[in-house]
Amino acid sequence: MKIMVAIKRVVDYAVKIRVKSDKSGVETQNVKMSMNPFCEIALEEALRIKESGLASEVVAVSMGLKQCVDTLRTGLAMGADRAIHVETSGPLYPLSVAKLLRALVDLEKPGLLILGKQAIDDDCNQTGQMVAGLLNWPQGTFASKVVLDKEKQVVTVDREVDGGLETLCLDLPAVITTDLRLNQPRYATLPNIMKAKSKVIKKFTPQDLNVEIKSDIEEVQVTEPPKRKAGVIVSSVDELIDKLRNEAHVI
Amino acid sequence: MEKLRATGRFLRYSPRKSLFDRRLNPNSENSIPNSASGYGHGFGEQCRDFQLYNDHNRKRNVQTCFGFYGHQGKTARDCIEKGLLEDTRRIQHRCFGSLAEKVQRDPSFSTLSSDDISYFKGILGEKNVVQDEERLAIANTDWMHKYKGSSKLLLQPQTTEEVSQILKYCNSRSLAVVPQGGNTGLVGGSVPVFDEVVINMSLMNNVISFDKVSGILVCEAGCILENLITFLDNQGFIMPLDLGAKGSCQIGGNISTNAGGLRLVRYGSLHGTVLGLEVVLANGDILDMLGTLRKDNTGYDLKHLFIGSEGSLGIVTKVSILTPPKLFSVNVAFLACQDYFSCQKLLVEAKGKLGEILSAFEFLDSKALDLVLNHLDGVRNPLPPTIHNFYVLIETTGSDETYDRQKLEAFLLHAMEGGLISDGVLAQDMNQASAFWYLREGVPEALMKAGAVYKYDLSLPVEKMYDLVDEMRTRLGDSANVVGYGHLGDGNLHLNISTPQYDDRTLAQIEPFVYEWTSAHRGSISAEHGLGLMKANKIFYSKPTATVKLMTSIKKMLDPKGILNPYKVLPHSIDSHS
């Protein structure tokens, strides 16, 4: 069985986000870009499944600008067998990504498609669900535990829901989106970085896959959250009560 | 909402965050028992070590750190005070029990009178003449509660002229003073020993000018390092020095102690980056050496006397410093080496092949890594668990992500093929980079948890550096765990000897041997911490008598009554002018 993992290149989660001065978006020039942390977890899970002998190959896929290749290289250095890059230029929204993924799934025919539950840049949390819908595959989202049964061709997924865990059993092929607690991704070791250099990254364009990139969404503007006002030190309990009553109107 | 949850989890997963929580929360289960064990010797040094190495723009942590001092400083400190009250006494006794017998208050100094107070109030105004006990308690104690003075007065000048008037008066009255910045030093240099008047520089905190073309910043001495970093960040520049205490330490104090920190291997010491200073001498004279020129060969370059003289020659009031542009491409690799010789060869290769992008070259031995893995939460060995003897952390900083990465990868793969490194990992994102840094920076904290620790901050020739660790191991046998780590790129070894408890027999086996060995190899007994009160009498291990004599003459010439930061830097026998 083959596992396909979708990987997104995003602004590194440790970077302080700056909004462009014209409010057209987030500054990405001269900013550290990395693999979306949830995608890292998705890839790690695929690699673990493969290492336990339940899958034969892990294919990492990404779509976007040509620099996505760097992120795919990271995926290959972590242990993915090969990679596919769909090169696009403009903004990509979840539905387009889902359509591209469906096309790649049709091409590669994986038994399992694993994605991060969301990307930390746009926080959409839609792609996994949309691609499952397009493929008409069962979906296990926010997975915190994944157990594959090769015999029965099912996968059991624990989902973190409010107030506890929900356990689902999905028929393969299926879509899984990963939550943070699923696993701890591995590091890219030098020997694996070396090996990754000879691994293949196949290129496609949306036209190759017969997907038209368009969106019904127009981004009007991006603004920073309002700055928090500095606190004040009150000199007495009376003053505090006065402020709570007359300024904050909470008592 | 989901994002919030996600972020929260990331923070919880982050090893550094938890470290800071542990270290900063005085009520946490870890901090008090650590001090309660009473191994006071070097307690401050440990934490400072950790702070010092905690660099690298982990904004999250910096904020935590900053918040602690900035907003909750008082209460948190109070808690520490209460929690550690008994232990502090023990620590002090242990730390400079023997020293305290030797240092006597210099009888030539006057004691404060009410006239003095009124005079200062006349110069500074009521508000900036502080006699409040709570605030004095903070100023009297170094931040790790290792040293405690009994000053009754803290002055907060706002201008150079005020500093000048204060010193002129104190000099005429023979009132001893201690200049104080952020009070983050750990050799007892920034706190009063007896009743010296504290001159706190924190109100002199203005940026005077910044030249975007040359990158030259001119500011007052009381500017907090982190505020300068933030200021420069918006201009696209960085400070040429960075250290963990940045949230509270001040640039004037950094210069007076010639602080090292993590960028030294790249940007050099403050002797190179400081272009000019304004200094007030003991008699109140203002020396204007505030040049903004990179080249100025007119006579003796006197500013260097004040860099690293720990406030004993004058008070730095203004600073002109050269700042490098901010580069965004940072890569971190954590590597394993079979022997110390390979580490050295790797350093040479890295200097040659990574040249302009190399920004840190740190090392730790396997015993140090074991301590980190065994004593700290949320850490894991990034390498397969094979036995390696040494670990090296290499950081590069450059301007082109793709190019830098290719360059570093090519270098590492070449070094691996050549057998210099036996294994390694390359951080793929900033989170991984922090995790690798934490393995190196977590050593002091891990040592603290392991029991008592004797710490030495030594400069040694790189090729000889690790021999001392081996010799100490032979000398101490099984009775102690000897670990070596430090800034290999700067030839700065942190020799740490960990034992279950503090005992004088172990100490006798270590000292003066370590100092003598360092001296025999022409090393320095204080690489980046300074001498302060703690090592004032040890100066001869690193400086010949003739040199110390000249230092003493300079001190006498600039400060004939010895009122500036007395009992520190120079040995007490020569220093006393009775």
Side-chain angles (χ1 to χ4, degrees):
Chain A
M1 186 185 79
K2 203 189 281 183
I3 304 177
M4 184 181 281
V5 182
I7 283 172
K8 186 171 184 184
R9 180 174 183 266
V10 296
V11 173
D12 192 292
Y13 110 94
V15 166
K16 186 172 181 284
I17 300 293
R18 282 174 207 268
V19 173
K20 284 184 191 164
S21 51
D22 62 0
K23 297 187 177 174
S24 64
V26 164
E27 188 60 71
T28 52
Q29 284 290 311
N30 285 0
V31 169
K32 170 85 178 166
M33 305 291 279
S34 303
M35 191 190 296
N36 178 36
F38 292 104
C39 301
E40 256 184 316
I41 293 165
L43 179 57
E44 175 67 32
E45 197 60 23
L47 295 172
R48 288 186 189 186
I49 293 171
K50 187 194 158 191
E51 282 160 359
S52 65
L54 297 171
S56 54
E57 191 184 31
V58 175
V59 184
V61 303
S62 187
M63 32 221 70
L65 303 174
K66 68 171 193 300
Q67 293 93 324
C68 286
V69 169
D70 295 342
T71 315
L72 284 172
R73 285 269 169 233
T74 298
L76 294 173
M78 282 173 71
D81 297 288
R82 59 193 171 85
I84 297 174
H85 176 214
V86 183
E87 192 168 335
T88 61
S89 49
L92 273 179
Y93 293 96
L95 186 57
S96 308
V97 177
K99 285 178 180 170
L100 289 169
L101 280 173
R102 177 180 60 179
L104 291 174
V105 165
D106 289 344
L107 209 68
E108 292 283 339
K109 310 230 172 337
L112 204 52
L113 172 62
I114 312 183
L115 308 89
K117 68 167 181 178
Q118 73 192 80
I120 60 165
D121 52 359
D122 55 21
D123 279 334
C124 281
N125 181 6
Q126 295 162 1
T127 308
Q129 294 87 330
M130 284 180 175
V131 73
L134 291 173
L135 288 166
N136 205 18
W137 284 8
Q139 56 181 298
T141 52
F142 309 151
S144 63
K145 190 180 172 194
V146 173
V147 180
L148 194 74
D149 188 330
K150 212 178 173 184
E151 299 277 293
K152 294 186 189 149
Q153 281 291 296
V154 292
V155 59
T156 313
V157 174
D158 282 0
R159 310 179 62 225
E160 293 187 354
V161 290
D162 284 346
L165 286 180
E166 181 184 67
T167 307
L168 299 179
C169 187
L170 315 173
D171 287 329
L172 293 179
V175 174
I176 293 173
T177 73
T178 56
D179 213 331
L180 204 63
R181 270 185 273 272
L182 180 59
N183 60 46
Q184 197 176 23
R186 67 195 62 193
Y187 296 120
T189 64
L190 291 180
N192 285 338
I193 291 172
M194 212 172 336
K195 273 186 221 151
K197 295 215 178 287
S198 57
K199 290 178 183 172
V200 183
I201 299 180
K202 205 169 169 186
K203 290 254 183 193
F204 285 105
T205 62
Q207 291 77 26
D208 296 339
L209 300 170
N210 286 322
V211 176
E212 192 191 347
I213 306 288
K214 58 170 188 167
S215 176
D216 303 330
I217 299 168
E218 186 198 349
E219 217 167 64
V220 182
Q221 73 170 33
V222 177
T223 51
E224 278 182 59
K227 288 211 164 50
R228 192 177 163 273
K229 276 199 279 179
V232 287
I233 295 173
V234 292
S235 55
S236 66
V237 175
D238 290 341
E239 195 189 338
L240 175 67
I241 290 171
D242 178 65
K243 279 190 186 297
L244 289 174
R245 185 166 292 148
N246 299 320
E247 279 183 34
H249 304 293
V250 290
I251 54 170
Chain B
M1 176 61 198
E2 194 53 49
K3 168 95 173 196
L4 275 178
R5 272 167 60 186
T7 316
R9 281 179 214 156
F10 266 111
L11 287 180
R12 237 175 295 143
Y13 272 60
S14 156
R16 281 170 170 264
K17 167 73 176 172
S18 55
L19 167 76
F20 265 77
D21 280 345
R22 280 195 300 274
R23 196 175 54 81
L24 288 179
N25 179 359
N27 298 319
S28 86
E29 52 185 339
N30 300 309
S31 56
I32 288 168
N34 278 336
S35 353
S37 60
Y39 52 95
H41 187 90
F43 180 64
E45 225 174 305
Q46 282 167 341
C47 295
R48 168 59 184 263
D49 270 351
F50 161 68
Q51 278 242 324
L52 212 67
Y53 307 140
N54 168 50
D55 58 325
H56 294 264
N57 304 331
R58 308 295 169 249
K59 296 215 168 70
R60 185 173 69 243
N61 301 323
V62 170
Q63 277 160 1
T64 321
C65 187
F66 201 49
F68 172 69
Y69 290 107
H71 307 302
Q72 304 159 325
K74 222 172 190 176
T75 33
R77 265 175 186 266
D78 287 347
C79 296
I80 295 176
E81 197 127 35
K82 278 173 205 139
L84 296 184
L85 207 59
E86 280 179 44
D87 315 311
T88 313
R89 234 177 285 137
R90 216 178 332 154
I91 288 168
Q92 275 176 4
H93 174 71
R94 179 147 286 160
C95 275
F96 59 123
S98 55
L99 201 60
E101 286 154 24
K102 283 181 212 154
V103 185
Q104 300 286 331
R105 186 182 181 281
D106 188 331
S108 68
F109 294 138
S110 313
T111 46
L112 269 180
S113 69
S114 54
D115 289 350
D116 299 330
I117 310 272
S118 332
Y119 181 82
F120 291 129
K121 283 183 179 166
I123 309 173
L124 305 173
E126 195 85 23
K127 202 174 77 189
N128 296 327
V129 177
V130 179
Q131 293 176 282
D132 175 60
E133 275 186 25
E134 228 175 89
R135 290 181 67 186
L136 282 171
I138 294 169
N140 268 314
T141 319
D142 72 315
W143 74 281
M144 286 318 300
H145 295 256
K146 199 175 156 189
Y147 300 94
K148 196 168 171 65
S150 52
S151 176
K152 296 278 181 281
L153 183 66
L154 179 141
L155 303 176
Q156 293 195 292
Q158 289 177 288
T159 62
T160 304
E161 285 65 36
E162 288 180 358
V163 176
S164 164
Q165 280 176 287
I166 293 170
L167 285 183
K168 194 173 175 188
Y169 181 81
C170 288
N171 196 45
S172 69
R173 279 271 295 123
S174 290
L175 282 170
V177 301
V178 52
Q180 192 174 76
N183 197 8
T184 58
L186 52 89
V187 288
S190 61
V191 284
V193 181
F194 299 101
D195 59 346
E196 297 94 287
V197 174
V198 179
I199 302 183
N200 180 295
M201 299 301 287
S202 55
L203 295 183
M204 290 189 64
N205 59 357
N206 296 307
V207 170
I208 297 164
S209 67
F210 179 69
D211 180 342
K212 270 190 116 166
V213 178
S214 60
I216 295 168
L217 171 78
V218 181
C219 66
E220 291 182 322
C223 290
I224 288 174
L225 180 59
E226 173 151 57
N227 295 352
L228 293 177
I229 292 173
T230 312
F231 170 82
L232 289 172
D233 190 62
N234 292 327
Q235 315 281 334
F237 287 79
I238 57 166
M239 284 299 281
L241 81 160
D242 189 5
L243 32 103
K246 65 182 147 200
S248 31
C249 68
Q250 298 172 6
I251 189 66
N254 295 149
I255 286 166
S256 297
T257 54
N258 190 16
L262 286 134
R263 289 182 179 152
L264 196 126
V265 71
R266 176 72 169 266
Y267 301 113
S269 88
L270 289 169
H271 281 292
T273 48
V274 171
L275 300 179
L277 294 177
E278 180 190 76
V279 177
V280 179
L281 297 179
N283 63 5
D285 285 357
I286 300 169
L287 281 191
D288 180 359
M289 306 173 285
L290 200 61
T292 51
L293 308 169
R294 294 204 63 182
K295 293 177 154 184
D296 177 16
N297 286 355
T298 48
Y300 306 142
D301 199 344
L302 292 177
K303 66 171 182 281
H304 289 294
L305 267 182
F306 300 91
I307 303 174
S309 55
E310 304 180 45
S312 64
L313 299 180
I315 298 184
V316 174
T317 46
K318 290 191 186 107
V319 175
S320 142
I321 190 165
L322 183 66
T323 67
K326 183 188 171 81
L327 304 174
F328 81 99
S329 152
V330 177
N331 284 299
V332 178
F334 190 78
L335 313 163
C337 294
Q338 239 11 283
D339 46 46
Y340 183 68
F341 184 68
S342 303
C343 298
Q344 282 181 61
K345 260 186 102 173
L346 192 65
L347 173 64
V348 175
E349 293 265 311
K351 281 182 174 169
K353 298 212 167 105
L354 296 174
E356 76 285 3
I357 58 169
L358 184 67
S359 57
F361 195 105
E362 300 284 315
F363 92 107
L364 61 159
D365 60 17
S366 61
K367 297 214 182 254
L369 185 68
D370 283 349
L371 276 166
V372 173
L373 297 175
N374 292 333
H375 290 278
L376 301 186
D377 299 330
V379 291
R380 55 175 168 150
N381 190 347
L383 298 167
T386 325
I387 302 299
H388 303 286
N389 294 319
F390 290 91
Y391 297 90
V392 168
L393 184 147
I394 292 181
E395 185 195 71
T396 65
T397 305
S399 53
D400 186 322
E401 183 78 42
T402 315
Y403 165 82
D404 290 355
R405 197 164 188 92
Q406 276 172 2
K407 193 167 165 133
L408 179 61
E409 273 183 18
F411 164 75
L412 293 175
L413 298 181
H414 180 76
M416 190 141 176
E417 279 162 8
L420 281 187
I421 46 185
S422 33
D423 207 343
V425 281
L426 185 55
Q428 302 295 314
D429 55 45
M430 282 159 80
N431 198 30
Q432 292 187 2
S434 324
F436 297 169
W437 265 111
Y438 183 49
L439 294 171
R440 161 64 188 83
E441 292 172 2
V443 178
E445 203 209 359
L447 278 159
M448 207 150 84
K449 291 191 170 183
V453 63
Y454 304 84
K455 297 179 70 76
Y456 300 90
D457 161 39
L458 311 164
S459 263
L460 286 164
V462 175
E463 72 271 18
K464 290 272 188 291
M465 204 159 104
Y466 203 74
D467 293 355
L468 176 59
V469 181
D470 286 332
E471 279 206 41
M472 285 314 297
R473 281 197 185 124
T474 321
R475 219 177 138 81
L476 292 166
D478 294 336
S479 68
N481 186 16
V482 181
V483 305
Y485 62 97
H487 316 287
L488 194 69
D490 309 332
N492 185 180
L493 170 73
H494 291 288
L495 170 71
N496 285 238
I497 295 152
S498 168
T499 55
Q501 284 133 11
Y502 186 96
D503 76 87
D504 293 337
R505 276 196 12 230
T506 313
L507 182 62
Q509 276 185 291
I510 305 170
E511 284 184 38
F513 178 80
V514 168
Y515 291 134
E516 283 165 0
W517 198 96
T518 305
S519 179
H521 291 87
R522 298 190 66 85
S524 169
I525 57 155
S526 178
E528 57 184 10
H529 296 169
L531 294 168
L533 178 65
M534 183 183 163
K535 296 181 195 163
N537 283 323
K538 309 267 193 288
I539 191 170
F540 293 107
Y541 285 111
S542 288
K543 291 281 157 26
T545 316
T547 319
V548 179
K549 271 192 178 156
L550 181 58
M551 288 183 197
T552 313
S553 324
I554 293 171
K555 165 81 177 168
K556 282 220 162 133
M557 186 179 74
L558 293 178
D559 179 18
K561 293 188 173 176
I563 61 160
L564 282 169
N565 219 2
Y567 322 107
K568 294 161 191 166
V569 189
L570 295 175
H572 304 124
S573 48
I574 294 188
D575 192 35
S576 72
H577 40 268
S578 46

